[in-house]
């Protein structure tokens, strides 16, 4: 069975934040031999085209109404400039549905503010771009005791990450989905954060393990 990695797309979406993650999920190039397959599908509030922060126009594969937890492996929420607006309320309802169904929800940067605004971070460990900023822009947020000053945090099937850490975000999600071996994910991560060629060869060798 091939699972779907739903990528939420919307006007002002930060193009680069989910890039490392969706490339690996959709290509499966470094997956364990027995790992479940994934295909990336874009989901919009409607099927109308959206324009990302980088000016890329995307026509969503499915509307929010057609986004189904039954065939999903993960719902990916990138950052963007509009997360404090009510336009994303319908997506937050879908997030609750996915979380209740045991499906992973992975949010980075501004998307964590959307979660906080919806009250979804008040009682579970999480991270964001900065605690002080989170409290300032979302007065109703009461999750201070659960905030972790880390690049990425997993609590059950909710993954949150800072906007300056798209590689850490990808590693966290790939690890939780268990599609890479432990050796592969470590080599993959080290290659991108150190830029040392030796880790490419370690990565290639890990695929035979």
């Amino acid at each position: 069975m091939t699972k779907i990695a739903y990528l939420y797309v919307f006007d002002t979406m930060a193009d680069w934040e989910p890039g490392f993650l969706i490339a690996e999920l959709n290509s499966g190039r470094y997956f364990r031999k027995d790992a479940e397959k994934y295909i990336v599908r874009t989901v919009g509030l409607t099927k109308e085209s959206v324009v990302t922060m980088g000016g890329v126009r995307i026509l969503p594969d499915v509307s929010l109404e057609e986004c189904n937890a039954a065939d999903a492996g993960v719902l990916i929420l990138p950052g963007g400039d509009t997360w404090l607006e009510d336009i994303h309320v319908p997506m937050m309802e879908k997030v609750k549905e996915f979380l209740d169904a045991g499906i992973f929800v992975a949010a980075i940067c501004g998307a964590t503010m959307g979660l906080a605004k919806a009250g979804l971070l008040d009682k579970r460990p999480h991270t964001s771009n900065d605690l002080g900023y989170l409290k300032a822009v979302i007065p109703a947020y009461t999750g201070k005791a659960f905030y972790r000053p880390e690049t990425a945090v997993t609590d059950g099937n909710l993954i949150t990450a800072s906007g300056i850490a798209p590689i850490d975000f990808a590693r966290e999600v790939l690890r939780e989905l268990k599609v890479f071996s432990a050796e592969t994910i470590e080599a993959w991560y080290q290659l991108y954060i150190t830029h040392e060629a030796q880790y490419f060869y370690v990565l290639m060798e890990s695929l035979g393990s």
Side-chain angles (χ1 to χ4, degrees), residues 9-54:
V9 295
F10 52 93
D11 289 331
T12 79
M13 182 189 90
D15 312 54
W16 64 95
E17 291 177 349
F20 289 95
L21 175 58
I22 60 174
E24 299 305 348
L25 286 178
N26 198 65
S27 71
R29 57 183 178 167
Y30 302 137
F31 277 25
R32 293 185 293 107
K33 292 183 176 64
D34 58 346
E36 290 182 301
K37 303 300 181 185
Y38 275 82
I39 186 169
V40 173
R41 288 289 178 263
T42 53
V43 54
L45 293 174
T46 69
K47 283 190 174 180
E48 294 183 5
S49 66
V50 299
V51 179
T52 70
M53 195 178 295

Side-chain angles (χ1 to χ4, degrees), residues 31-140:
F31 277 25
R32 293 185 293 107
K33 292 183 176 64
D34 58 346
E36 290 182 301
K37 303 300 181 185
Y38 275 82
I39 186 169
V40 173
R41 288 289 178 263
T42 53
V43 54
L45 293 174
T46 69
K47 283 190 174 180
E48 294 183 5
S49 66
V50 299
V51 179
T52 70
M53 195 178 295
V56 177
R57 185 171 296 277
I58 298 175
L59 191 65
D61 294 311
V62 299
S63 67
L64 190 59
E65 185 178 350
E66 298 169 310
C67 182
N68 190 351
D71 56 11
V74 61
L75 171 60
I76 303 165
L77 308 176
D81 290 342
T82 59
W83 272 108
L84 295 180
E85 299 177 12
D86 290 341
I87 189 174
H88 299 292
V89 169
M91 173 50 77
M92 288 300 103
E93 292 303 314
K94 183 64 68 172
V95 166
K96 294 173 186 176
E97 177 188 324
F98 272 50
L99 290 174
D100 289 345
I103 306 300
F104 280 100
V105 173
I108 183 171
C109 195
T112 63
M113 295 190 293
L115 294 175
K117 184 172 182 284
L120 295 174
L121 302 182
D122 289 340
K123 296 181 179 180
R124 58 193 307 165
H126 62 277
T127 193
S128 184
N129 295 337
D130 176 71
L131 176 58
Y133 184 73
L134 199 59
K135 290 165 58 181
V137 298
I138 307 169

Side-chain angles (χ1 to χ4, degrees), residues 114-195:
L115 294 175
K117 184 172 182 284
L120 295 174
L121 302 182
D122 289 340
K123 296 181 179 180
R124 58 193 307 165
H126 62 277
T127 193
S128 184
N129 295 337
D130 176 71
L131 176 58
Y133 184 73
L134 199 59
K135 290 165 58 181
V137 298
I138 307 169
Y141 166 73
T142 60
K144 176 182 176 181
F146 296 93
Y147 186 87
R148 304 288 182 265
E150 301 169 19
T151 54
V153 171
T154 296
D155 179 64
N157 57 328
L158 179 63
I159 300 167
T160 52
S162 165
I164 59 172
I167 298 173
D168 294 52
F169 177 60
R171 177 181 65 166
E172 197 79 6
V173 179
L174 294 169
R175 182 166 55 202
E176 292 301 318
L177 294 180
K178 297 180 172 57
V179 291
F180 282 17
S181 70
E183 295 81 4
T184 297
I185 201 163
E186 181 60 21
W188 180 90
Y189 181 71
Q190 292 298 327
L191 175 63
Y192 282 109
I193 64 168
T194 69
H195 312 142

